[in-house]
Amino acid sequence: MDAKTDELRDAHDALAEVYASRLARVMDQLPADRAVLGMFCDLVLGNGAGAEVGDVGCGTGRLAPYLAARGLVPRGVDLSPEMIRVARRDQPGFRFDVADLRELPFGDASLAGVICWYSLMYCAPADRPRAFGELARVVRPGGYLATAFKAGDGEVRRGGVTLGTGFDVYWLSPDQMQRYITDAGFSITFWAGRPADPDENQPQGYLIAQRL
Ligand SMILES: C[S@@+](CC[C@H](N)C(=O)[O-])C[C@H]1O[C@@H](n2cnc3c(N)ncnc32)[C@H](O)[C@@H]1O
């Protein structure tokens, strides 16, 4: 593993319990997240291509109960072993594995969809074709990808600093995100954005795309 990936993994290992306590019930306060994820669930189930979806960069696994309650079968993967330990502890009954989104542990066209909820912003430019290519590889034609992301100018910044860690983040613009996703072999189904809430530092983007 390269030094940047080590740094990212170690930082998220250190943040796992912080995330677990801060984000446990945050979905209740995020109607836009619920609406977009709900649309993703409806689209996935509506095309009859199965219900198993990858939650890629799943963190503490907080999305799993929401997705399962809407009929999906989520499988979480995350780079950070600590995030996966916490996810297994806090969300028993779901499958979580340590894996890098640049090398997903799913077969070709094996999933009905993938979710990347605030997990694509760590990919350096050179890694993006491989990362988005992996997302396209594992979703069967007609399946869906959903992503939420902090929207910005795409420049590299240091994240996690206020929490005592540090790693590179790239807040892609909605146009950049759409381009990476369409270049990988998806067609955009839906996109939206919202201004930053008072406790957020960036506007948020949402996107759903269908695998061609
Ligand atoms: C901001 S957290 C979001 C977690 C979760 N999706 C959520 O919404 O609560 C980003 C997560 O992406 C994971 N991550 C970052 N880079 C990754 C990579 N290359 N492969 C897999 N997971 C990654 C981090 O370990 C972290 O748990």
Side-chain angles (χ1 to χ4, degrees):
M1 225 179 262
D2 61 277
K4 287 289 183 191
T5 304
D6 285 344
E7 178 182 72
L8 186 61
R9 183 203 56 222
D10 293 349
H12 284 89
D13 279 349
L15 291 172
E17 291 292 0
V18 179
Y19 274 40
S21 58
R22 284 197 185 178
L23 298 178
R25 275 164 293 284
V26 78
M27 283 291 277
D28 299 343
Q29 300 147 28
L30 295 171
D33 287 45
R34 292 199 305 274
V36 177
L37 284 172
M39 192 189 318
F40 170 79
C41 295
D42 288 349
L43 286 165
V44 168
L45 293 175
N47 75 2
E52 193 177 21
V53 297
D55 182 0
V56 174
C58 63
T60 57
R62 69 187 173 101
L63 299 184
Y66 189 86
L67 300 170
R70 280 150 194 83
L72 297 187
V73 179
R75 278 193 56 187
V77 295
D78 201 283
L79 180 68
S80 154
E82 267 299 291
M83 288 285 186
I84 292 299
R85 183 189 65 76
V86 169
R88 288 174 178 156
R89 179 194 70 194
D90 291 357
Q91 307 297 345
F94 296 102
R95 178 156 179 192
F96 296 102
D97 294 294
V98 176
D100 192 316
L101 67 86
R102 293 164 295 187
E103 194 172 353
L104 289 171
F106 305 120
D108 295 357
S110 62
L111 297 177
V114 283
I115 296 165
C116 298
W117 223 242
Y118 298 104
S119 57
L120 293 171
M121 60 187 155
Y122 313 96
C123 276
D127 286 340
R128 287 179 203 148
R130 183 166 157 210
F132 286 87
E134 272 296 88
L135 299 173
R137 179 184 67 76
V138 301
V139 176
R140 60 181 65 107
Y144 287 91
L145 173 156
T147 186
F149 57 101
K150 295 183 181 208
D153 59 10
E155 295 301 314
V156 65
R157 290 181 169 74
R158 293 295 282 173
V161 177
T162 56
L163 295 169
T165 63
F167 43 82
D168 289 352
V169 286
Y170 304 81
W171 297 327
L172 299 184
S173 71
D175 281 351
Q176 287 176 310
M177 187 61 86
Q178 288 197 32
R179 200 161 52 248
Y180 281 114
I181 287 173
T182 53
D183 284 354
F186 292 89
S187 154
I188 304 298
T189 303
F190 171 86
W191 58 265
R194 65 169 176 80
D197 282 342
D199 61 340
E200 293 172 337
N201 48 14
Q202 287 299 115
Q204 315 289 308
Y206 300 94
L207 201 147
I208 298 176
Q210 186 170 32
R211 181 76 173 98
L212 295 171

